[in-house]
Structure formats: structure tokens, C-alpha cells
Amino acid sequence: MRRGITRRDFLNGVALSVGGVLLSPREAFGLRFDDAARGTAPYPPALTGLRGSHEGSFEVAHAVRDGSFWKTVGPAADNGETYDLVVVGAGISGLASAWYFRKAAGPAARILILDNHDDFGGHARRNEFQVGKRTLIGYGGTFAIDSPAPYSRAASALVAELGVDVSRWERMLERGLYARLGMGSAVFFDRATFGADRLLRAPGKGEADPWPAFLAQAPLSEAARRDIRRLVKEPADYLPGLDDDAKKARLARMSYADFLAKSAGCHPDVLPFFQARPHALYGLGIDAVSALDAWGLGLPGFAGMKLGPTAGPGMGLDARPGRRSPFVHFPDGNATLARLLVQRLIPRAVPGCSVADVAVGRADYTRLDEPGPARLRLNSTVVRVRHAGDSAQAAEVEVSYARRGRLESVRGSNCVLACWSSVIPYLCPELPQDQREALADAAKVPIVYTNVVLRDWTSFHALRVSQVHCPGSFHTSVDLDLPVRVGRYRPPRQPNEPIVVHMMRTPCLPGLPGREQHRAGRRELLATTFETFERNVREQLARMLGAGGFDPARDVLALTVNRWPHGYAYQYNSLWDPFWIDGGPLPCVAARQPFGRIAIANADAAAYAYTDAAIDQAHRAVGELLRLTVAPATGARP
Ligand SMILES: Cc1cc2nc3c(=O)[nH]c(=O)nc-3n(C[C@H](O)[C@H](O)[C@H](O)COP(=O)(O)OP(=O)(O)OC[C@H]3O[C@@H](n4cnc5c(N)ncnc54)[C@H](O)[C@@H]3O)c2cc1C
């Protein structure tokens, strides 16, 4: 913290120090020496600073939203390109749409994929860091193949056809590495929320009676300690006299915060301790997540309530009991899936013979948009999608996009909108009014995945922590990267090696209804500078790990802030969406109806924030365009 912060947003992280040697701006920008020698474009995964929805990716879309874009732009230049399919959005859903279409139409099918970012994969984003000769890979978004319900047949088949063997996971993960080093989970209490900075090992599952010792050291009031102890140690029925159905119905209509305060009679000082527990899944705290979901997620207070092991009406998709999907985490998360899809579509852009080659290797971004049957055009914000004539009879769709300050247009016999639902009404004013309203309902969840490269993790080791929950801090979680081996990629195994530390923040405004919290968080996120992120990262890590010898000026080598103002797809919530309990029609179903030669994909179309939803919705959308008979996408989901 002693060293002044000299970096600014527009510099994207200049002057990073590696082992005491200042990096040149080129290195700090993520450019490698061979880039310089070849004079090639930057390699997006290696760019540091503010990434995710980076500067330059959203301004055009916001101008369209605000009505200023069309006042200033000139006429679109028709570049004469025609395609069998134009896909808007190069996330997993857009890439999967292209893949399904190509499977049906054959390898000669002409496909163009457009995306407003400088990288592909949408939320499935890769971060790469060069520390000396070593490459460290991190995930800037989608963490893993992991869903609260089993993958559909279509999604499982896609994953398998890409060559991903989900049964290999146990061999990829070095399970127990941190535990063998004596490290485990911890809670960081911060001064502003709890009156004192304190890092405490979390009550461990293996220990006989871990809570009393934990609570004794926690900077909590006597009343909070007493009530937390009661919640976890003295099971009670807080809704006596009701049967299972009636209890679940009540729990679905009250927040977990209200359950704790009103039903379980906890002192208000208890709430900050649990406030951020649902952040990673909901982007919201316990004020905006139902008690029923809290029960499903295993939060305390329900052990004595004799709730049957079945979901209640209105239970969130994340919280429902039942089988989960298989789990696989590549070092870059599901960006490996995105790369594998791009490899199938544009083999020259992603070299490699195996999944491991693709997970570890370097994609060639200069080849994505070369002439060929399939092309991927980045930095291209689609601003208008309209049929050439009446939608019922038109043979083509005209797709206009802004690239390098110019408006261009192409034509497609078919179009999949795999972009965010809330964008579509602005692109496609010809859609029916009620469909546009249903599309606008899909307010995304803002979320930030910050990757910090540390010179070493000796401070974590000294304090015996590998992952920390920080209920009151700027970032509410801090995790050492999972030790995963893929191909020639080896994770750091010794505390003196450099490592990627993953931190998460979900901006929200407790007290407001869920969607409004997301909107407020999005506004906050777009107004937060890289400098603010950096200062908070350094300060939080220094306060948390200082006793272990952490020095931010010496230890932080690089920082990539993946901000996603439009992050997770909005999932329905029994507190705010009465139809989710009562069984009324779902906005996502009205929103995703095909219109002429335009079909709608994206995880938003299922109101389900998981990769399998993105794939399933692609499968459905392409099926609609091809007039194929396909099974409904996500089966029993929403
Ligand atoms: C931080 C984070 C972590 C996640 N972790 C997991 C996880 O561990 N497991 C899991 O299964 N799921 C996870 N998810 C959810 C998962 O990433 C998504 O469900 C899935 O990847 C969404 O894919 P998509 O293609 O539907 O949307 P996106 O990935 O959002 O892709 C849509 C693309 O369309 C682009 N676009 C929007 N408007 C335009 C326009 N006008 N012109 C051109 N392009 C446009 C967007 O910029 C974006 O690139 C996570 C999501 C986030 C944000």
C-alpha cells in the first residue's frame, strides 16, 4: 500500500512490477514480445486492466438505447456479404447456434458470427498472464461445466462431441493440495462492517465442535454470537403448527433476512454475518433471497423445521434439491468450450489436436474473420436486424452493425439473436410490442471476477487459508485458483510460486427489489474506475493477509478486472416474481418466440444462468429456423 497508484483505466495497467522489474507498457498491456516482432494485433486474453465488458464494447449499444445513435450515424454500407446464417453474439449460445446450424446444413454453410467484444466466448472469457517464462491461465467469467440440474441430451452431446470427457475431472484436479498444506476456508471480518479487521478460519466440518471457538474470536456482539450459536446448535421449528407445504409456501414469500430476524428471533447484528452468502449465485444478499432458497442452499436455521426433501413452489433453480450436472473446470473455465466450438467452425484460428491443446494453446485472432464458410467478426456491435420486406414472406434478414466507427450491413437467410434479451427490442423494433416487453424483462445480474496475479502465496500459506468469504468487503470472496492440470499446463503447487487469485464482487443495493438492485449495481459498475478496483484489491488483500507477510506493492504482479454489468441471466425469484410461485406464464417463453427468419437464443431465453441453458436455447433456436422437430429445450426447467 505504500506505493502510489500510477495506473489509470486508459492505460490498462501500465507499470506492473514483476519480481521488482518494471514491465514495459507493451508487456503490461498483455502484449508479448512476439506480438511486437510480428507487428500483430494484441492477444485479447492477455490484456489486463478493465476487461469483461471492456471500454469500447458497450458505448454504441448504449447510444442505440438512448436514441442518440441513429441521429448521428451515416447510412449503412452494404458490404455485399450474404450468409446462410448470421448470429448476433459470440457467447456459448451464439457459437453453439452456428455449430448446430452447420451440422444440419453441412460444412459449406456460410455463417457469420458478430460480437461487440474484442474476444469471443461472451461470459466464457479467458485471462492469461505471463510471469517470466511461465503462463498462468485464469477464468474471467464462466467458471465450470456445472449446473444445478443434469445437462439435457442436446447439451451433453455437444460437450461430448467437442471431445470433453467429463469423467476426466478427478484426474485433472489435484484434490487436497491446499488441505495437505494445512490450508482451508476462512472468514474475513472487516472494520467498517464488524468494527475490527479479523481473519478467522471458518468452522471446519471435520472438527468436533468448531463453532464456539470461531464465535469467541469473531468481532460480533454478544447477542449475535448467542443467536448464531443457537441457529447452528439448537435446531428449532420456527414455523410450528404448519405442515410441510404451508411452511414452504411461507418460506418462499419471506426473505432469509426476515426469517432470521422475525421467525428465528435473531438480533439484527446477526444479519451482516450472513448478508453476502448468496452473492455468488444470486448477485443479491439475504434481504432479497427467499428463506426457502436459503434452506435449499444449506444456510442455517432449518435443521429443526422437519422440511421434506422436495422443492417447494417458487424455489429458485439454484436451490432445488436433486441431481446436478457433472463438473469440469478448465483453467480458463468454459472459455475452453468456446475455443473448442470456434475450432470446429474455423479450424485455422484455433490450432491443436486435443482438448488439452486447445485449453492450453494460443488462438490466432487474426484468422477468425478470414474468408471461409464460417467467420467470426469481433468489435462489431449489431444495431439493427430487420427483414427485407414483410417478416412472414421475406427471404432475407438485413443485419447492420457498427465497426470501427462505421455502419456496415450484411444479409442472411436466417438470423439467430444470441445476444442479451434486453438488447433485442432496440435492435428489432419490428417485433410485437408484448414480445419486446417480455424481452426487456430479462434484467441481467451485474458481477465482477477480478483476477490478481501474486508473486507467491506464502502469506496465504502462513495464515493457513486458501479461500476466504468476506461478508462486508468490496470483494466478497477471495480464492486461490483451483489446482488443475491440463495437457502441459501445471498449476502452482508450492507457496513460493506465482498464482492467480480470484476475487468476486456483485454490486447491489440491499433493501430494493431484486431487479432494481441489479440495475443499481450495473450503474455503479459502469461508473467504477480501474483505479478504484485496484485500490480496493490492494487494500483488502493487505488488511486480510498483512499478518501473513503480504505486501501489495511487492506481491501484486498483475490485475485483470472482468466486469460484467450484464452478467448472469436473471433467474426468477419467488420474492419478486409472483408467477414463479403461482405458475403463471413465464416472460422468457414469450420473449423467445421466433419471428419470421429470426430466432432467439442466449441463456436469457431460459431465464437460467448456466452454460447448458445457453446450449439448449441455441439448439431450440436453430431447430426453429430449420423447421426441425426438436424436443423442448431444457425439459422441466422453467
Ligand atoms: C461471471 C460469470 C460466471 C459464470 N459462471 C458459470 C459457471 O460456472 N457455470 C455455468 O454453467 N454458467 C456460468 N455462468 C453463466 C454462463 O456464463 C452463461 O449462462 C452462458 O455462458 C451464457 O452464454 P450466452 O451465449 O447465452 O450469453 P453471453 O455469454 O452473454 O454471450 C452473448 C454475447 O452477445 C454479445 N452481444 C450483446 N449485444 C450485442 C450486440 N448488439 N451486438 C453484438 N453482440 C452483442 C454479448 O456481448 C456477448 O458477448 C456465469 C456467468 C457469469 C457472468
Side-chain angles (χ1 to χ4, degrees), residues 169-170 172-184 457 466 481-484 492-493:
W169 169 238
E170 284 303 324
M172 289 164 63
L173 175 68
E174 189 158 348
R175 196 179 287 284
L177 170 72
Y178 297 131
R180 280 195 296 280
L181 291 167
M183 303 162 76
W457 35 295
S466 54
D481 205 10
L482 276 186
V484 174
R493 299 188 69 253

Short mmCIF file of all heavy atoms in Angstrom, two decimals, residues 169-170 172-184 457 466 481-484 492-493:
data_model
loop_
_atom_site.label_atom_id
_atom_site.label_comp_id
_atom_site.label_asym_id
_atom_site.label_seq_id
_atom_site.Cartn_x
_atom_site.Cartn_y
_atom_site.Cartn_z
N TRP A 169 -12.38 -35.33 -14.89
CA TRP A 169 -12.21 -34.24 -13.92
C TRP A 169 -11.35 -34.66 -12.72
O TRP A 169 -10.44 -33.95 -12.31
CB TRP A 169 -13.57 -33.71 -13.48
CG TRP A 169 -13.48 -32.78 -12.30
CD1 TRP A 169 -14.09 -32.91 -11.10
CD2 TRP A 169 -12.72 -31.57 -12.22
NE1 TRP A 169 -13.76 -31.87 -10.27
CE2 TRP A 169 -12.91 -31.03 -10.94
CE3 TRP A 169 -11.87 -30.89 -13.10
CZ2 TRP A 169 -12.31 -29.85 -10.51
CZ3 TRP A 169 -11.26 -29.71 -12.68
CH2 TRP A 169 -11.49 -29.21 -11.40
N GLU A 170 -11.65 -35.83 -12.17
CA GLU A 170 -10.92 -36.25 -10.97
C GLU A 170 -9.42 -36.34 -11.24
O GLU A 170 -8.61 -36.12 -10.35
CB GLU A 170 -11.45 -37.59 -10.45
CG GLU A 170 -12.78 -37.48 -9.71
CD GLU A 170 -12.75 -36.51 -8.52
OE1 GLU A 170 -11.71 -36.43 -7.83
OE2 GLU A 170 -13.75 -35.80 -8.29
N MET A 172 -7.88 -34.41 -13.43
CA MET A 172 -7.36 -33.06 -13.71
C MET A 172 -7.08 -32.28 -12.43
O MET A 172 -6.16 -31.47 -12.36
CB MET A 172 -8.38 -32.28 -14.54
CG MET A 172 -8.55 -32.76 -15.97
SD MET A 172 -10.07 -32.11 -16.72
CE MET A 172 -9.78 -30.35 -16.72
N LEU A 173 -7.92 -32.51 -11.43
CA LEU A 173 -7.82 -31.71 -10.19
C LEU A 173 -6.84 -32.34 -9.22
O LEU A 173 -6.90 -33.55 -8.97
CB LEU A 173 -9.19 -31.64 -9.52
CG LEU A 173 -9.20 -30.94 -8.15
CD1 LEU A 173 -8.93 -29.45 -8.29
CD2 LEU A 173 -10.54 -31.16 -7.44
N GLU A 174 -5.96 -31.54 -8.69
CA GLU A 174 -5.10 -32.03 -7.62
C GLU A 174 -5.84 -31.81 -6.30
O GLU A 174 -5.59 -30.85 -5.57
CB GLU A 174 -3.76 -31.33 -7.64
CG GLU A 174 -2.84 -32.00 -6.67
CD GLU A 174 -1.38 -31.77 -6.96
OE1 GLU A 174 -1.04 -31.28 -8.04
OE2 GLU A 174 -0.59 -32.09 -6.06
N ARG A 175 -6.78 -32.68 -6.06
CA ARG A 175 -7.65 -32.52 -4.89
C ARG A 175 -6.81 -32.61 -3.62
O ARG A 175 -5.90 -33.43 -3.53
CB ARG A 175 -8.72 -33.62 -4.90
CG ARG A 175 -9.88 -33.38 -3.99
CD ARG A 175 -10.90 -34.49 -4.07
NE ARG A 175 -11.66 -34.49 -5.31
CZ ARG A 175 -12.66 -33.64 -5.57
NH1 ARG A 175 -12.99 -32.73 -4.70
NH2 ARG A 175 -13.31 -33.71 -6.71
N GLY A 176 -7.10 -31.79 -2.68
CA GLY A 176 -6.43 -31.90 -1.39
C GLY A 176 -5.08 -31.20 -1.34
O GLY A 176 -4.40 -31.24 -0.32
N LEU A 177 -4.68 -30.53 -2.43
CA LEU A 177 -3.37 -29.86 -2.41
C LEU A 177 -3.30 -28.85 -1.26
O LEU A 177 -2.37 -28.86 -0.44
CB LEU A 177 -3.10 -29.14 -3.74
CG LEU A 177 -1.88 -28.21 -3.74
CD1 LEU A 177 -0.59 -29.03 -3.73
CD2 LEU A 177 -1.88 -27.28 -4.93
N TYR A 178 -4.29 -27.98 -1.18
CA TYR A 178 -4.24 -26.93 -0.15
C TYR A 178 -4.43 -27.53 1.25
O TYR A 178 -3.79 -27.11 2.21
CB TYR A 178 -5.31 -25.86 -0.43
CG TYR A 178 -5.08 -25.12 -1.74
CD1 TYR A 178 -6.09 -24.95 -2.68
CD2 TYR A 178 -3.83 -24.60 -2.04
CE1 TYR A 178 -5.87 -24.28 -3.87
CE2 TYR A 178 -3.60 -23.92 -3.24
CZ TYR A 178 -4.62 -23.78 -4.15
OH TYR A 178 -4.39 -23.12 -5.33
N ALA A 179 -5.30 -28.54 1.34
CA ALA A 179 -5.53 -29.15 2.66
C ALA A 179 -4.25 -29.80 3.16
O ALA A 179 -3.91 -29.72 4.35
CB ALA A 179 -6.65 -30.18 2.56
N ARG A 180 -3.51 -30.44 2.24
CA ARG A 180 -2.25 -31.07 2.66
C ARG A 180 -1.24 -30.04 3.16
O ARG A 180 -0.36 -30.34 3.94
CB ARG A 180 -1.65 -31.88 1.50
CG ARG A 180 -2.31 -33.25 1.33
CD ARG A 180 -1.48 -34.16 0.45
NE ARG A 180 -1.35 -33.67 -0.91
CZ ARG A 180 -2.29 -33.82 -1.86
NH1 ARG A 180 -3.41 -34.47 -1.58
NH2 ARG A 180 -2.12 -33.34 -3.06
N LEU A 181 -1.39 -28.82 2.67
CA LEU A 181 -0.50 -27.75 3.14
C LEU A 181 -1.08 -27.07 4.40
O LEU A 181 -0.60 -26.01 4.82
CB LEU A 181 -0.31 -26.70 2.04
CG LEU A 181 0.50 -27.17 0.82
CD1 LEU A 181 0.36 -26.18 -0.34
CD2 LEU A 181 1.97 -27.33 1.19
N GLY A 182 -2.13 -27.67 4.93
CA GLY A 182 -2.72 -27.14 6.17
C GLY A 182 -3.64 -25.95 5.95
O GLY A 182 -3.96 -25.21 6.89
N MET A 183 -4.05 -25.73 4.69
CA MET A 183 -4.84 -24.54 4.37
C MET A 183 -6.32 -24.90 4.22
O MET A 183 -6.66 -26.02 3.87
CB MET A 183 -4.32 -23.91 3.07
CG MET A 183 -2.84 -23.54 3.15
SD MET A 183 -2.10 -23.29 1.53
CE MET A 183 -2.74 -21.70 1.10
N GLY A 184 -7.20 -23.93 4.46
CA GLY A 184 -8.63 -24.19 4.33
C GLY A 184 -9.41 -22.89 4.20
O GLY A 184 -8.85 -21.84 3.89
N TRP A 457 2.26 -17.17 -2.88
CA TRP A 457 1.12 -17.24 -1.95
C TRP A 457 1.59 -17.67 -0.56
O TRP A 457 0.87 -18.33 0.19
CB TRP A 457 0.01 -18.15 -2.49
CG TRP A 457 0.44 -19.35 -3.29
CD1 TRP A 457 1.07 -19.36 -4.49
CD2 TRP A 457 0.24 -20.73 -2.94
NE1 TRP A 457 1.28 -20.65 -4.93
CE2 TRP A 457 0.78 -21.51 -4.00
CE3 TRP A 457 -0.34 -21.39 -1.86
CZ2 TRP A 457 0.76 -22.91 -4.00
CZ3 TRP A 457 -0.37 -22.78 -1.86
CH2 TRP A 457 0.18 -23.51 -2.92
N SER A 466 -6.95 -20.82 2.08
CA SER A 466 -6.90 -20.92 0.61
C SER A 466 -8.14 -20.27 -0.02
O SER A 466 -8.13 -19.97 -1.20
CB SER A 466 -6.80 -22.38 0.16
OG SER A 466 -7.84 -23.13 0.74
N ASP A 481 -6.52 -20.06 -6.96
CA ASP A 481 -7.02 -20.80 -8.12
C ASP A 481 -7.07 -22.29 -7.82
O ASP A 481 -6.24 -22.81 -7.05
CB ASP A 481 -6.08 -20.53 -9.30
CG ASP A 481 -6.80 -20.71 -10.62
OD1 ASP A 481 -8.04 -20.84 -10.62
OD2 ASP A 481 -6.12 -20.72 -11.65
N LEU A 482 -8.02 -22.97 -8.44
CA LEU A 482 -8.08 -24.43 -8.27
C LEU A 482 -6.86 -25.05 -8.94
O LEU A 482 -6.53 -24.70 -10.08
CB LEU A 482 -9.32 -24.99 -8.96
CG LEU A 482 -10.65 -24.98 -8.23
CD1 LEU A 482 -11.69 -25.73 -9.06
CD2 LEU A 482 -10.53 -25.62 -6.86
N PRO A 483 -6.20 -25.99 -8.27
CA PRO A 483 -5.03 -26.62 -8.89
C PRO A 483 -5.44 -27.66 -9.93
O PRO A 483 -5.80 -28.78 -9.59
CB PRO A 483 -4.30 -27.26 -7.71
CG PRO A 483 -5.33 -27.42 -6.63
CD PRO A 483 -6.44 -26.45 -6.89
N VAL A 484 -5.43 -27.25 -11.19
CA VAL A 484 -5.91 -28.11 -12.28
C VAL A 484 -4.80 -28.33 -13.30
O VAL A 484 -4.11 -27.38 -13.69
CB VAL A 484 -7.12 -27.43 -12.97
CG1 VAL A 484 -7.55 -28.21 -14.20
CG2 VAL A 484 -8.28 -27.31 -12.02
N PRO A 492 0.30 -23.87 -10.03
CA PRO A 492 1.28 -23.65 -8.96
C PRO A 492 1.02 -24.64 -7.81
O PRO A 492 -0.12 -24.85 -7.43
CB PRO A 492 0.98 -22.22 -8.50
CG PRO A 492 0.02 -21.65 -9.47
CD PRO A 492 -0.60 -22.74 -10.24
N ARG A 493 2.10 -25.24 -7.31
CA ARG A 493 1.93 -26.23 -6.23
C ARG A 493 2.66 -25.83 -4.96
O ARG A 493 2.36 -26.33 -3.88
CB ARG A 493 2.45 -27.59 -6.70
CG ARG A 493 1.69 -28.13 -7.92
CD ARG A 493 2.07 -29.55 -8.25
NE ARG A 493 1.60 -30.49 -7.24
CZ ARG A 493 2.37 -31.09 -6.37
NH1 ARG A 493 3.67 -30.86 -6.36
NH2 ARG A 493 1.87 -31.93 -5.49
#
